[in-house]
């Protein structure tokens, strides 16, 4: 039994020693062709990265500013009664259109009607007295020629007649005044426009000249803005255009009509009024308007897409495209102004250069690129 086990052990040992030798040989055989493949492959070259480019266009430098204001009428009238009284009727509301001669409100005219009747009665009495005085003057003139009455008596009758004529004149003027005052109890519009204010109600007692209705004329509307005192001198001769908040894509030519001679005590700004040269139906009273001013500056500037500019250690920069070698070059620029969609560059670029217009934060200097589109 033991001899059989020993024999079996001796027979199996040579096979166990041979297995590692076969495994090593197999690994060497497999490694040889792999090493040959590595030595025969070409070096790796990165494919050019596609980029969207923009051409640099230089133009004369201009200084642009914008101020937000409101469309207001050039002419606006505060209307009031020319006599005092109690309002018994109001015929318009805020926002109503009015035409010349249209009645806006009425006062209680009872007292003024009585005054008119009294003036008429006074005039009739004065005319009757004048008629009697003129008859006496004429009769005494005839008697005086015949020397039947003294000169003093004639002069007395003549003075009485002159006084009667003066009384008639006064009564005539009083009647005209009473007639006018009665007419003043109706508040009448003098211009076509729209009612913008009505600070009174029916039943209210008002004084002469008190504001009853404010009428804004619609034949000439203006854009009214406030300009800081530091820019008032430079903005006097600037070219102006006006856009509406409701339609920002349409611009209207405008001209500065007047600037307030003194600054507002609270805001320290000057009110400026710009007349619209060719207004249309879109220019409505009270709309929000923006006045854009542009004045000629010095030097040249380029308008770049906002996405083309990035900051490198706090300095605005762009990626220049070296078309000859197909690589990027980082270029620092001077930005004079920022807008919602663009950057105004005043230095660091030349006309005709191409820059990367988008995706600048994903690029690095020296990497190969190819232009797939040139932004206009």
């Amino acid at each position: 039994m033991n001899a059989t086990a020993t024999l079996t052990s001796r027979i199996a040992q040579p096979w166990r020693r041979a297995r590692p030798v076969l495994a090593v040989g197999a690994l060497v055989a497999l490694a040889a062709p792999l090493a040959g493949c590595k030595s025969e492959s070409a070096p790796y070259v990165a494919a050019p990265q596609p980029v969207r480019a923009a051409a640099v266009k230089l133009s004369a430098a201009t200084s642009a500013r914008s101020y937000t204001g409101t469309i207001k009428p050039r002419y606006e009238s505060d209307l009031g009664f020319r006599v005092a009284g109690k309002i018994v009727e109001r015929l318009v509301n805020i926002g109503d259109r009015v035409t010349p001669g249209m009645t806006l409100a009425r006062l209680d005219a009872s007292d003024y009607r009585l005054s008119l009747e009294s003036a008429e009665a006074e005039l009739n009495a004065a005319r009757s007295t004048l008629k009697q005085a003129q008859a006496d003057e004429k009769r005494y003139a005839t008697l005086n020629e015949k020397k039947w009455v003294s000169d003093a008596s004639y002069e007395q009758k003549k003075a009485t007649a002159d006084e009667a004529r003066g009384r008639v004149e006064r009564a005539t003027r009083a009647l005209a005044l009473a007639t006018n005052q009665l007419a003043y109890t109706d508040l009448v519009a003098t211009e076509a426009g729209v009612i913008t204010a009505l600070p009174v109600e029916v039943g209210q007692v008002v004084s002469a000249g008190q504001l009853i209705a404010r009428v804004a004329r619609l034949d000439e509307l203006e854009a009214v803005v406030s300009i800081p005192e530091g820019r008032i001198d430079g903005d006097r001769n600037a070219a102006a255009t006006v856009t509406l908040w409701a339609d920002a894509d349409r611009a209207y030519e405008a001209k500065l009509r007047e600037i307030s001679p003194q600054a507002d005590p609270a805001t320290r700004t000057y009110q400026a009024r710009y007349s619209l040269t060719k207004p249309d139906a879109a220019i409505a009273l009270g709309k929000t308007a923006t006045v854009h001013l542009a004045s000629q500056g010095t030097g040249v500037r380029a308008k770049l897409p906002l996405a083309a500019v990035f900051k490198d250690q706090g300095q605005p920069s762009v990626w220049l495209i070296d078309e000859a070698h197909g690589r990027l070059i980082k270029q620092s620029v001077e930005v004079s102004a920022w807008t919602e969609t663009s950057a105004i560059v005043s230095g660091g670029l030349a006309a005709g250069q191409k820059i990367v217009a988008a995706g600048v934060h994903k690029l690095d200097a020296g990497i190969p690129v190819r232009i797939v589109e040139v932004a206009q």
Side-chain angles (χ1 to χ4, degrees), residues 99-326:
T99 56
M102 181 177 177
T103 301
L104 308 181
R106 286 193 177 96
L107 293 178
D108 182 3
S110 301
D111 294 342
Y112 297 101
R113 195 171 290 109
L114 291 175
S115 296
L116 176 63
E117 294 173 356
S118 175
E120 289 175 346
E122 182 66 25
L123 178 59
N124 292 332
R127 286 173 177 172
S128 178
T129 301
L130 175 61
K131 185 177 181 180
Q132 180 64 41
Q134 287 176 335
D136 290 346
E137 179 187 14
K138 184 177 181 181
R139 184 170 58 255
Y140 269 72
T142 301
L143 295 175
N144 182 255
E145 289 178 359
K146 297 179 179 180
K147 304 300 181 180
W148 291 351
V149 295
S150 63
D151 292 339
S153 298
Y154 169 70
E155 293 295 336
Q156 183 179 7
K157 295 299 181 182
K158 184 177 182 300
T160 302
D162 290 340
E163 182 181 356
R165 279 189 285 269
R167 182 182 174 189
V168 170
E169 183 67 22
R170 290 193 303 271
T172 303
R173 299 294 176 84
L175 177 61
L177 179 60
T179 303
N180 289 341
Q181 288 183 332
L182 180 61
Y184 294 155
T185 58
D186 287 350
L187 182 62
V188 177
T190 57
E191 301 288 346
V194 61
I195 301 294
T196 59
L198 278 172
V200 296
E201 296 293 341
V202 173
Q204 183 174 342
V205 177
V206 297
S207 59
Q210 181 177 337
L211 173 63
I212 303 300
R214 180 174 291 126
V215 178
R217 288 173 51 178
L218 302 178
D219 54 348
E220 188 171 351
L221 299 179
E222 301 177 330
V224 181
V225 297
S226 297
I227 299 178
E229 58 181 326
R231 294 183 176 178
I232 193 67
D233 294 331
D235 289 343
R236 289 183 183 273
N237 299 319
T241 56
V242 175
T243 59
L244 299 178
W245 180 84
D247 187 10
D249 295 332
R250 185 170 185 179
Y252 300 85
E253 294 183 2
K255 182 179 180 181
L256 178 64
R257 186 180 67 82
E258 71 173 23
I259 296 180
S260 175
Q262 62 182 1
D264 184 271
T267 62
R268 304 307 304 167
T269 58
Y270 290 78
Q271 186 183 85
R273 289 179 169 265
Y274 288 85
S275 298
L276 304 177
T277 56
K278 295 180 180 180
D280 55 20
I283 304 296
L285 190 67
K287 281 191 173 182
T288 302
T290 302
V291 177
H292 306 275
L293 302 180
S295 56
Q296 193 67 28
T298 58
V300 292
R301 296 181 183 180
K303 186 176 181 180
L304 304 182
L306 194 61
V309 182
F310 63 95
K311 284 193 175 182
D312 180 48
Q313 297 180 355
Q315 175 65 35
S317 305
V318 297
W319 289 115
L320 284 179
I321 301 176
D322 183 1
E323 295 187 81
H325 301 88

Side-chain angles (χ1 to χ4, degrees), residues 2-15:
N2 293 336
T4 302
T6 302
L7 179 60
T8 303
S9 175
R10 289 177 180 178
I11 294 173
Q13 285 177 357
W15 288 98

